Amino acid sequence: AKELEALIQQLSEANAQEAHLVSELADKEEENRKLIEEVAGKEVINKKLLEDMQLLLGELEASGSMAANLKNLLLSKEDANKKLLEAIDEMKAESDKQDKELKAFLMKEKENTNAIKDMRKLIDELEAEGKTADNLKNQLLSKEEANKELMEAIDEMKAESDKQDKE
């Protein structure tokens, strides 16, 4: 009976220990359930974060593509600007050349204008001399006419004198 009592006592202690372990197990299961719920909640959050990150990645890729397009556009604009600047430099060089040619032409024109003025002055002088020459020519012709008339008169007088001498 003592052994039976000792066994019952052990059984009773084992039952108490089992009840305590069952209670601990229930507590652990409750903790595990809460952890599982927490993990499940975190998985939902992680899934949402993953989706957000994938969206961001897509946007970044699109931005990268857009950035590459903008870079290419910028490079083509820089190239166009470089060509435009080269064309402007060429136009400026051509304009400078035309300015020099225009200045040379204007200088030549000024020289020509001065030469024309000098020629007009000379023509005026020659015309004045021509009028003087015409006057002198007319005077000379008048004197020649007068000399001719005088010579004719002298010839007549001589002929008259010769006639009188003969008589």
Side-chain angles (χ1 to χ4, degrees), residues 7-62:
L7 280 174
I8 291 175
Q9 182 66 26
Q10 281 181 350
L11 187 58
S12 182
E13 285 173 9
N15 280 340
Q17 203 175 16
E18 181 182 359
H20 177 70
L21 287 174
V22 167
S23 173
E24 275 186 27
L25 184 60
D27 288 344
K28 292 284 183 192
E29 282 180 356
E30 181 62 25
E31 261 183 61
N32 283 345
R33 188 187 59 74
K34 285 181 183 177
L35 285 173
I36 288 171
E37 285 177 8
E38 195 178 313
V39 167
K42 288 190 179 192
E43 281 182 7
V44 168
I45 292 171
N46 284 346
K47 186 176 179 185
K48 178 68 176 144
L49 284 173
L50 183 62
E51 288 172 2
D52 288 348
M53 288 174 75
Q54 286 174 336
L55 284 173
L56 280 173
L57 183 61
E59 288 176 10
L60 284 173
E61 287 174 350

Side-chain angles (χ1 to χ4, degrees), residues 2 4-5 10 13 21 30-31 46 57 62 64 70 97-99 111 121 140 146-147:
K2 278 187 175 188
L4 192 56
E5 249 182 62
Q10 281 181 350
E13 285 173 9
L21 287 174
E30 181 62 25
E31 261 183 61
N46 284 346
L57 183 61
L70 287 173
K97 180 182 171 189
Q98 288 176 351
D99 283 349
E111 289 173 9
K121 194 177 193 182
L140 185 60
N147 279 345

